[in-house]
Amino acid sequence: MLLFSVSRALLRGAQRLELHRNQNVHRWVAPTLREFRRRREKMGPEAELPRSSHSDWNYSAELFAFGKRLHESFDPKVLQQAFTHQSFIEQETRKQAAVGIEQPVLGVTDNRELIAQGDRLINYYVEAFLLTALPRLPRQFVASIREALTSDTQLAHVSCHLGTKDIIMAAEFPIGEPLLASTLKAIVAALHRSSGDEQCFLFVRDFLCGQLNQRDLHEYLDIPDPLQTLREYCKERTLGDPEPRLIGNVGKNTLLAAYHVGIYSDRKLLGTGYGESQIVAVDEAARDCLRQLFGTELHAKPVDFTLTLPDCARHLGQRTSGKVETRQ
């Protein structure tokens, strides 16, 4: 009974305290907040503003912090040039001309030259890395992987996650994929000028080639007819013509039919595959053969991301060819 009395007393005290709190809130507060919300919804979302519009913006500090985040040593002037696009130069020139300055002096240079240099460096380094890390993969497919890794979409993805979006100086806003991709190319060229070949290669290896980590390499390969591709590969290697053979089947003429097909060359089994029909099984078997021959099996060793520039030096500058061929 005593416990019940104490509980009722505490409950009454809490109710009085809550009533006292509510008395301090004026009756006009809730309607005002609702009106603010209605007006905000009517106006729509606020326009996205660049980071440089904030009062605490310090561009020099941002450039310094960018290099420190990546643990790279950049020449400050070259790095600033890498982030300065031609559209920004033209925009600032028009602004100064509008206030009567006939020959404006901006003190910065656009990054067109750096973009062109960075594009060449990225392609050379990525190709050299792939040729070294995947020695059995034909150059036609090396080129496919390189094009995927150096596409504007992939470069923009890497560039955005490196934190370039807020530092880019351009007339366009929000920053689109082409600007993000071209800025990353300019950054690679700036690093090459600031720290040399070795650091530039490591940067490309870690941030671009590293996108291959835990990925199936065949996602990047366009092989519409695996059996025909296998025949071309065997012809290049002077191997016997691949021959599909039915190893076994179950549930024939039913909805749950399954076929097991193997592909042989010179009386040797190259690979096997399963499918709900013989056509599908042959296709899967041909893909399995290509994985075995290319060294890209699902259980293969991961790509070696510890390769350095001396390891890949002999492949630098080599261009990919358009036909299926094998490197010796």
Side-chain angles (χ1 to χ4, degrees):
M1 189 66 180
L2 178 61
L3 181 61
F4 179 73
S5 300
V6 172
S7 300
R8 290 187 60 184
L10 292 175
L11 181 60
R12 288 175 181 173
Q15 290 176 348
R16 284 195 295 269
L17 180 60
E18 187 66 24
L19 179 61
H20 178 69
R21 288 178 179 176
N22 292 337
Q23 288 176 350
N24 292 332
V25 179
H26 297 283
R27 300 178 62 182
W28 54 265
V29 172
T32 303
L33 294 178
R34 285 195 293 267
E35 179 63 19
F36 284 162
R37 180 178 179 180
R38 185 189 67 81
R39 294 184 182 184
R40 186 169 59 250
E41 293 176 349
K42 182 179 179 180
M43 293 176 62
E46 296 182 7
E48 184 179 0
L49 297 177
R51 180 70 177 82
S52 57
S53 64
H54 295 197
S55 59
D56 59 346
W57 176 253
N58 187 328
Y59 192 68
S60 299
E62 292 291 339
L63 291 179
F64 179 81
F66 178 80
K68 293 304 179 182
R69 284 199 304 270
L70 301 180
H71 299 281
E72 301 288 356
S73 298
F74 289 96
D75 183 338
K77 293 183 178 179
V78 179
L79 183 59
Q80 182 177 0
Q81 180 184 354
F83 282 106
T84 306
H85 287 266
Q86 182 184 7
S87 61
F88 175 80
I89 301 293
E90 295 174 349
Q91 182 187 54
E92 293 300 313
T93 302
R94 289 194 299 268
K95 287 181 179 179
Q96 295 195 19
V99 296
I101 301 177
E102 296 180 356
Q103 296 181 350
V105 178
L106 301 178
V108 292
T109 309
D110 65 75
N111 59 4
R112 285 178 293 178
E113 181 182 353
L114 292 176
I115 291 173
Q117 180 185 359
D119 183 60
R120 292 192 298 270
L121 289 172
I122 288 174
N123 281 280
Y124 287 160
Y125 289 151
V126 170
E127 183 175 338
F129 176 84
L130 294 175
L131 290 171
T132 306
L134 305 171
R136 293 161 55 188
L137 188 65
R139 293 191 178 184
Q140 174 188 1
F141 301 122
V142 168
S144 298
I145 299 177
R146 175 178 57 81
E147 291 172 1
L149 293 178
T150 59
S151 64
D152 279 358
T153 301
Q154 189 66 40
L155 292 179
H157 172 77
V158 175
S159 178
C160 182
H161 285 80
L162 289 181
T164 63
K165 184 177 180 181
D166 292 329
I167 318 177
I168 294 175
M169 301 175 67
E172 175 187 340
F173 189 83
I175 305 298
E177 282 190 357
L179 272 180
L180 288 170
S182 60
T183 301
L184 182 61
K185 296 176 183 178
I187 291 173
V188 170
L191 181 60
H192 183 266
R193 294 186 182 185
S194 303
S195 302
D197 292 326
E198 181 68 26
Q199 285 300 116
C200 187
F201 173 81
L202 295 178
F203 181 90
V204 173
R205 182 201 68 183
D206 293 341
F207 291 108
L208 295 182
C209 300
Q211 302 298 314
L212 296 176
N213 187 34
Q214 297 185 357
R215 296 291 299 272
D216 182 6
L217 296 180
H218 282 252
E219 295 177 5
Y220 301 99
L221 307 184
D222 182 17
I223 308 178
D225 190 348
L227 185 58
Q228 180 60 30
T229 303
L230 178 62
R231 285 171 176 159
E232 293 177 5
Y233 182 89
C234 291
K235 185 178 179 180
E236 290 285 338
R237 292 290 299 270
T238 64
L239 299 175
D241 190 45
E243 179 183 355
R245 296 182 182 178
L246 182 64
I247 296 178
N249 66 86
V250 294
K252 189 176 181 180
N253 299 326
T254 68
L255 295 176
L256 301 178
Y259 296 85
H260 186 197
V261 172
I263 296 183
Y264 293 81
S265 176
D266 295 332
R267 298 183 179 180
K268 294 182 179 180
L269 180 65
L270 298 181
T272 62
Y274 295 86
E276 62 271 17
S277 67
Q278 293 188 29
I279 297 176
V280 175
V282 169
D283 185 81
E284 292 300 319
R287 292 184 185 277
D288 182 59
C289 293
L290 293 176
R291 289 181 181 273
Q292 301 288 340
L293 296 172
F294 293 169
T296 56
E297 307 95 326
L298 294 176
H299 60 273
K301 292 177 60 178
V303 177
D304 185 7
F305 293 108
T306 63
L307 294 174
T308 60
L309 185 61
D311 298 329
C312 307
R314 68 188 184 92
H315 294 299
L316 283 175
Q318 293 186 11
R319 306 303 298 169
T320 56
S321 61
K323 66 176 184 177
V324 177
E325 57 180 333
T326 307
R327 300 184 300 279
Q328 299 297 329

